[in-house]
Amino acid sequence: MGEPDVKRDKPWIIRTYAGHSTAAESNALYRGNLAKGQTGLSVAFDLPTQTGYDPDHELARGEVGKVGVSIAHLGDMRTLFQDIPLAQMNTSMTINATAPWLLALYLAVAEEQGAPFSALQGTTQNDIIKEYLSRGTYVFPPGPSLRLTKDVILFTTSQVPKWNPMNVCSYHLQEAGATPVQELSYALAVAIAVLDTVRDDPAFDEASFADVVGRISFFVNAGMRFVTEICKMRAFCDLWDEITRDRYGIDDPRKRIFRYGVQVNSLGLTEQQPENNVHRILIEMLAVTLSKRARARAVQLPAWNEALGLPRPWDQQWSMRMQQILAFETDLLEYDDIFDGSTAIDAKVEALKAETRAELARIGGLGGAVTAIETGLMKRALVESNAKRIAAIERGEQVVVGVNKFQNGEPSPLTAGDGAIFTVSETVEMEAQTRIKAWRAQRDSAAVAAALDELEAAAREGRNVMPASIACAKAGVTTGEWGERLRQVFGEYRAPTGVTPETVTSGAAEEARLLIADLGERLGEAPKLVVGKPGLDGHSNGAEQIALRARDVGFDVTYDGIRQTPAEIVAKARERNAHIIGLSILSGSHVPLVREVRARLRQEGLDHIPVVVGGIISSEDELVLKNMGVAAIYTPKDYALDTIMVGLAKVVERSIARREAEEAAAPRREEVF
């Protein structure tokens, strides 16, 4: 006889995080993934879209379509969701600073499809506070940014009731080096800041507050410390229930449920032996699915080759199949929580909760999450945690298979041959610029101007910007125009870098310090390094750690943070009389941005300053960069920071030797002529 029928739980929403180049190509990718069994969409936008620039803006150069799809206006959003019925779809959009705008475009397209707002389901990430700590796609100062988040929350609560107006996003905190307690406490502190802002709004309807709380969701990370990650998720559930009950007086236990989606850790994916990443992704997924009481509502997994470059559709399919096999082939969904009653799990959960409560009290004592960000205290703590993590890997205390242990292995057939990773053609940017010029030419200019004036008036008068943003979408306003008008109202902002004289690190090896000291004696001063982040890439973890270790070994370091133009970097190199420039670019835009930096150095007569580049760079692009004259290239496989410091010193030494040889030869040339 067979086993009796068992009622299975409904599986989580199965997603892949996807989007690239153009709306048309991304639409084809989405429809293909849905046909393969994906049950929800997770849209990746490119950096200009995320930071409110059009494809033809100076800061968008090299970034269009690279880490996601370019959406510049209603026509692009219409194309992105062509033949995808929004009334039936659950759509997650990873968008923060420009979340009101992208949601406005989405709602305008839904209206065109005849889909009522009340039927729409999905999420705008919209956690701007963590952007000051990790991804860096913020635009405005924290105060106005929180106000825009509040506007989306209040609008969707009344008009789009099934929509999750924000994900409180701890995912990127872990990517920036957060410990489990930091991930718990910082995310919960952000949620408190947002809910306090909503509750304190003069126009807020107290009767709807339980609904607001009930629609707040979270987006979390799961790393390789499997048991700790399970306990972290159970702690999240308990603490959120506690906060919403005790701080906000929510009586309905259903409104207090910790609802979260997850993408598992990309930080731990390795360039060396990348096939090992398949096992890492699977183990991390188990941490957020095995415990029924703390199970994710939606899961998206990275691809095995993301440390090498952009994944192909097949790579994304492989990750999606992991989810489907666990959900549909195993008996996991037939059981209650298999960890209930475990003394080991319970003890770890209680320890995490106690430490998190203490950290939340400390943040509250500082004035809350926003104050802790504005003073740089949160950012510095994350930078210090990340420095400890990297130092532990360097010393071999934290084992990473294939990186600092068991390095010998067979070559991976998965990375052999052409096309092992997806690349975005540089023509995508030129085509996007052509399309947006055509879009601007065919619209009603007077209607656009009127819509933008109303947007500005709403922003200045403290009214909710969502109705005006939807009107802008329908009038044909572009992403850059929406962003620029609000920049005029709110101003722009540059967050603290966390790289300060007070930032504590594990220091550097004596050998590296002595080498830099010898170089300094030869120069007559400490060698000067300018660390630059050109373009819109806000993933600054690597740049921060390089700047700190360079400081520790004896370089005179200048690091001004993210979102610098090539012109600004070259000007800083001139001002500082730099001996070397280090560029950090993780968005795939390294070739055009480095090309421009090198061209500006030549124009300024600074071509003697060597340039090194770090980022996710393919072997083919390494050759391109070296042909441009780049002196050294560092990728995720170069995890030993002291080794990088020695490499930087040798680059400077070669530069000095070359200049000395040129100076020695100069008189002889003059004698010849």
Side-chain angles (χ1 to χ4, degrees):
M1 295 178 62
E3 293 183 7
D5 290 338
V6 179
K7 187 174 188 292
R8 292 174 60 89
D9 282 345
K10 187 178 179 181
W12 52 90
I13 296 169
I14 297 173
R15 291 185 174 127
T16 56
Y17 181 51
H20 62 80
S21 57
T22 68
E25 290 194 37
S26 294
N27 172 261
L29 177 64
Y30 296 160
R31 287 188 286 111
N33 284 344
L34 291 169
K36 295 171 187 172
Q38 185 172 304
T39 55
L41 291 178
S42 181
V43 182
F45 298 99
D46 73 355
L47 290 173
T49 305
Q50 292 187 52
T51 50
Y53 294 106
D54 284 336
D56 53 356
H57 192 279
E58 178 190 13
L59 277 170
R61 194 169 301 150
E63 306 281 16
V64 177
K66 284 289 170 59
V67 299
V69 59
S70 173
I71 299 296
H73 46 69
L74 182 62
D76 285 342
M77 189 65 93
R78 192 182 288 140
T79 301
L80 186 68
F81 291 105
Q82 185 174 337
D83 298 325
I84 297 175
L86 298 187
Q88 301 168 30
M89 188 52 53
N90 191 306
T91 305
S92 171
M93 296 192 284
T94 300
I95 198 76
N96 296 283
T98 55
W101 174 240
L102 271 294
L103 179 58
L105 291 172
Y106 188 87
L107 294 175
V109 170
E111 198 171 277
E112 289 180 350
Q113 289 189 1
F117 287 179
S118 60
L120 299 179
Q121 297 185 70
T123 304
T124 32
Q125 189 172 107
N126 204 19
D127 177 1
I128 194 61
I129 297 180
K130 65 92 178 48
E131 295 298 312
Y132 302 112
L133 299 172
S134 49
R135 291 177 72 245
T137 65
Y138 57 82
V139 176
F140 315 111
S145 295
L146 259 182
R147 176 261 176 98
L148 293 177
T149 300
K150 177 203 68 179
D151 284 358
V152 171
I153 291 171
L154 294 179
F155 180 84
T156 55
T157 300
S158 63
Q159 303 295 319
V160 199
K162 294 182 181 178
W163 194 265
N164 299 319
M166 78 168 295
N167 276 136
V168 180
C169 186
S170 73
Y171 172 84
H172 299 97
L173 299 178
Q174 188 177 131
E175 297 289 296
T179 65
V181 170
Q182 286 173 328
E183 189 178 345
L184 283 161
S185 58
Y186 291 8
L188 292 170
V190 167
I192 288 168
V194 170
L195 288 176
D196 283 357
T197 301
V198 171
R199 185 182 58 183
D200 296 342
D201 185 83
F204 178 60
D205 176 13
E206 184 69 33
S208 68
F209 194 59
D211 291 332
V212 170
V213 173
R215 296 316 303 175
I216 297 295
S217 61
F218 289 73
F219 184 67
V220 305
N221 203 330
M224 283 300 293
R225 291 181 61 77
F226 174 67
V227 175
T228 298
E229 294 293 344
I230 292 172
C231 295
K232 181 190 76 181
M233 297 318 309
R234 289 166 73 95
F236 253 138
C237 293
D238 290 352
L239 288 165
W240 184 241
D241 182 77
E242 186 178 297
I243 289 167
T244 53
R245 182 192 66 227
D246 298 345
R247 185 183 181 94
Y248 297 114
I250 306 301
D251 295 325
D252 186 347
R254 293 171 300 177
K255 304 288 188 183
R256 303 199 304 260
I257 293 172
F258 183 81
R259 300 177 307 113
Y260 77 98
V262 65
Q263 170 154 321
V264 305
N265 195 303
S266 294
L267 179 68
L269 302 183
T270 64
E271 182 179 359
Q272 303 95 314
Q273 301 181 18
E275 63 278 5
N276 295 341
N277 294 330
V278 176
H279 314 312
R280 294 185 176 106
I281 293 166
L282 175 60
I283 290 167
E284 290 165 344
M285 177 179 64
L286 293 176
V288 295
T289 53
L290 290 186
S291 176
K292 180 178 180 178
R293 187 160 61 85
R295 183 171 293 149
R297 296 291 185 93
V299 177
Q300 60 192 42
L301 303 179
W304 68 279
N305 56 351
E306 286 191 16
L308 306 177
L310 293 175
R312 303 157 297 185
W314 183 87
D315 305 313
Q316 294 180 331
Q317 173 185 297
W318 199 8
S319 287
M320 184 166 60
R321 293 295 186 241
M322 286 190 208
Q323 295 197 55
Q324 291 168 329
I325 289 168
L326 180 64
F328 298 108
E329 291 193 22
T330 77
D331 58 355
L332 172 65
L333 298 178
E334 298 170 11
Y335 290 88
D336 287 331
D337 199 303
I338 60 177
F339 296 103
D340 283 351
S342 166
T343 55
I345 293 288
D346 288 346
K348 181 65 174 176
V349 170
E350 291 305 315
L352 287 171
K353 286 160 59 176
E355 291 180 69
T356 299
R357 290 188 193 102
E359 182 63 12
L360 280 169
R362 191 184 74 83
I363 294 169
L366 294 171
V370 172
T371 302
I373 285 167
E374 291 174 333
T375 59
L377 294 174
M378 267 190 180
K379 179 64 173 177
R380 195 172 82 199
L382 286 178
V383 171
E384 290 177 350
S385 294
N386 205 18
K388 289 179 183 177
R389 182 190 67 84
I390 291 171
I393 294 172
E394 285 182 289
R395 292 192 297 264
E397 296 168 5
Q398 181 174 328
V399 172
V400 182
V401 173
V403 174
N404 62 3
K405 198 173 181 66
F406 312 117
Q407 294 100 324
N408 294 332
E410 300 297 324
S412 172
L414 294 174
T415 59
D418 295 332
I421 58 170
F422 178 80
T423 56
V424 175
S425 170
E426 288 194 45
T427 63
V428 165
E429 186 166 314
M430 294 182 285
E431 292 164 359
Q433 292 169 353
T434 299
R435 283 196 305 274
I436 197 167
K437 287 174 184 173
W439 176 266
R440 292 187 190 119
Q442 56 82 37
R443 63 190 182 171
D444 183 337
S445 300
V448 168
L452 285 169
D453 287 345
E454 172 57 17
L455 173 68
E456 180 176 343
R460 291 193 185 279
E461 295 165 12
R463 291 186 279 121
N464 195 304
V465 301
M466 282 305 300
S469 295
I470 294 170
C472 282
K474 293 177 179 178
V477 167
T478 68
T479 296
E481 291 166 342
W482 184 91
E484 179 56 30
R485 188 57 66 98
L486 291 187
R487 282 178 169 91
Q488 292 173 16
V489 177
F490 299 137
E492 294 188 71
Y493 184 73
R494 177 154 292 195
T497 65
V499 178
T500 71
E502 297 79 25
T503 306
V504 177
T505 67
S506 59
E510 186 68 17
E511 177 188 357
R513 285 201 297 265
L514 290 173
L515 182 62
I516 306 305
D518 289 343
L519 178 59
E521 286 186 17
R522 184 175 177 184
L523 291 168
E525 61 179 341
K528 295 176 180 175
L529 165 66
V530 169
V531 177
K533 286 285 297 176
L536 297 174
D537 170 31
H539 289 86
S540 57
N541 305 331
E544 292 154 3
Q545 297 303 320
I546 289 292
L548 283 172
R549 186 61 62 88
R551 175 203 72 178
D552 291 345
V553 300
F555 277 98
D556 180 347
V557 182
T558 300
Y559 172 58
D560 291 335
I562 64 170
R563 215 174 300 167
Q564 298 172 303
T565 65
E568 289 171 333
I569 293 169
V570 171
K572 182 62 69 173
R574 175 185 284 281
E575 174 194 326
R576 297 289 297 142
N577 291 317
H579 298 105
I580 185 170
I581 298 170
L583 303 178
S584 171
I585 309 167
L586 283 89
S587 63
S589 57
H590 39 268
V591 170
L593 288 174
V594 171
R595 184 187 294 127
E596 185 171 352
V597 170
R598 292 283 299 160
R600 287 185 174 273
L601 286 170
R602 285 193 295 273
Q603 291 169 10
E604 297 287 329
L606 301 175
D607 199 28
H608 60 277
I609 304 176
V611 175
V612 302
V613 181
I616 299 175
I617 300 169
S618 68
S619 55
E620 292 82 1
D621 282 353
E622 283 196 36
L623 291 174
V624 173
L625 294 177
K626 286 178 178 175
N627 286 335
M628 287 182 195
V630 171
I633 294 166
Y634 299 99
T635 66
K637 71 178 183 301
D638 301 298
Y639 68 93
L641 295 185
D642 282 336
T643 302
I644 294 175
M645 295 302 114
V646 171
L648 297 182
K650 290 180 178 177
V651 168
V652 175
E653 287 174 347
R654 289 196 296 270
S655 172
I656 295 168
R658 186 166 55 251
R659 292 196 73 186
E660 289 175 346
E662 290 171 354
E663 290 170 2
R668 290 196 295 273
R669 285 199 297 270
E670 290 169 6
E671 290 166 9
V672 169
F673 293 103

